[in-house]
Amino acid sequence: MIYNSLRLPGRKSQMTLPASQTGIGLIEILIAVLVLGIGILGVASTQVVSMQMNSQSQNRSQAVLLAEDLFDRIRANPANPAGYALAAGAAQGGNNGDCATGFVPGNGNVTDDDIASWQNSLTCLLPAAQRTVAVNGNVVTITIDWDQNDANATPVVVRTQI
């Protein structure tokens, strides 16, 4: 290595410095950028998973609220709780099975209007909603399932006594 002598003014001693750098600083910067890039990818991955879990949580809360809505409709029509029973199947919206945002019940009897309105809400709020309403005496069990994009996810099952 070639060293240059440097004499500082007012000093009697000399300081010896290398004449050139050999690229060590550039390698350190490249390694720092690589570590930073890996860290940013980790943060982005965590954000994506967080958004997915938030969406699943919102859908699950919506399913519970929809089940409670049907319970309230049954309680408001105590003369016919058995009329609210629905076999397992896909929820049917008011627009030929799809979501109808301006849905108005068909002015049939109260039970039929309640079921039609509730199923339209299911169709509009949950993707590929499936529902079952079992009425056994005064115990009503509502099962709601939807496309949860998770093979291990379970449907929402809510049971109450009317």
Side-chain angles (χ1 to χ4, degrees):
M1 209 177 247
I2 302 171
Y3 292 97
N4 294 330
S5 295
L6 176 67
R7 182 177 291 263
L8 298 173
R11 303 224 178 209
K12 293 184 180 182
S13 64
Q14 289 185 348
M15 183 185 294
T16 315
L17 298 173
S20 65
Q21 297 266 334
T22 59
I24 296 296
L26 184 59
I27 292 173
E28 290 173 351
I29 290 171
L30 289 174
I31 291 172
V33 168
L34 176 68
V35 169
L36 180 65
I38 291 171
I40 289 173
L41 285 175
V43 169
S45 172
T46 301
Q47 185 68 23
V48 167
V49 169
S50 172
M51 289 174 62
Q52 289 171 343
M53 293 297 126
N54 189 22
S55 176
Q56 288 179 9
S57 174
Q58 180 182 1
N59 285 343
R60 186 164 292 277
S61 295
Q62 191 65 55
V64 170
L65 289 172
L66 286 166
E68 292 297 327
D69 175 46
L70 187 59
F71 288 144
D72 288 341
R73 291 172 189 263
I74 295 170
R75 285 185 191 104
N77 186 12
N80 189 17
Y84 288 88
L86 293 171
Q92 296 297 311
N95 186 16
N96 294 324
D98 293 332
C99 173
T101 55
F103 181 76
V104 177
N107 295 326
N109 65 27
V110 173
T111 305
D112 292 341
D113 286 350
D114 284 346
I115 291 172
S117 179
W118 182 72
Q119 287 199 93
N120 187 66
S121 295
L122 273 176
T123 304
C124 291
L125 297 173
L126 295 174
Q130 301 281 321
R131 85 295 182 263
T132 304
V133 180
V135 179
N136 186 4
N138 62 351
V139 176
V140 179
T141 304
I142 299 174
T143 304
I144 301 174
D145 199 3
W146 65 97
D147 183 12
Q148 299 183 47
N149 295 327
D150 184 1
N152 296 325
T154 58
V156 168
V157 179
V158 185
R159 180 177 297 128
T160 192
Q161 185 171 350
I162 302 296

